[in-house]
Amino acid sequence: MDTLLKVLEDNATLTPAQLAVMLDKEEGDIKKLIKQYEADGVILGYKTMIDWDKTAHEILCRVRGLDPWPCAYAKLGEGVLKVFSAKKADGEGTPGEVLRSSAKEGLVVACKDGAVEILEIQAPNAKRMEAKAYLLGHPISTG
């Protein structure tokens, strides 16, 4: 159901009923697919996770386009973070690999054609803050 993912990527605010009508499917089938995608980590609460297999340009456009709402999400370390701003960075690695993670160097993640530095984030039940400030008290392992 790649069509469902495409629709959610374009508009993460649609209800399962609206999605069912758009895709000519049963609402129950849509709900099951959404639950499966969430269990697999493909989406989070209808919001698509950042796909690190995309280019830095594509990732940056997604982050900008979803700020401030509904927001881009990234699974980094043990948790899921809202990502509000990012920029292209130097570095190479396997897409999704955390290349640098410190209050001094920032939070840099590899993507398809290089790397992206995450500048501003929000952890669950926390305030929006600079990624470097977050890393002072919440280390994220590299690799």
Side-chain angles (χ1 to χ4, degrees), residues 14-46:
L14 297 170
T15 67
Q18 291 169 321
L19 291 166
V21 170
M22 288 176 70
L23 301 173
D24 195 28
K25 302 285 182 194
E26 294 294 321
E27 184 176 351
D29 293 339
I30 296 294
K31 287 180 179 180
K32 285 179 190 174
L33 280 169
I34 289 170
K35 275 191 168 184
Q36 184 60 50
Y37 286 141
E38 287 177 336
D40 293 343
V42 176
I43 62 173
L44 176 69
Y46 284 68

Side-chain angles (χ1 to χ4, degrees), residues 17 22-23 25 54 74 83 85 90 92 108 124:
M22 288 176 70
L23 301 173
K25 302 285 182 194
K54 294 191 182 266
V83 178
S85 65
D90 293 329
E92 289 184 10
V108 179

Side-chain angles (χ1 to χ4, degrees), residues 48-71:
T48 54
M49 303 295 281
I50 291 176
D51 181 357
W52 299 108
D53 285 318
K54 294 191 182 266
T55 65
H57 177 74
E58 291 171 309
I59 291 169
L60 297 175
C61 286
R62 171 147 302 285
V63 169
R64 274 193 310 273
L66 294 174
D67 178 32
W69 187 87
C71 201

Side-chain angles (χ1 to χ4, degrees), residues 74-97:
K75 181 164 178 34
L76 297 169
E78 298 298 313
V80 176
L81 302 172
K82 286 184 178 181
V83 178
F84 292 99
S85 65
K87 69 177 183 178
K88 189 162 177 47
D90 293 329
E92 289 184 10
T94 305
E97 176 185 359

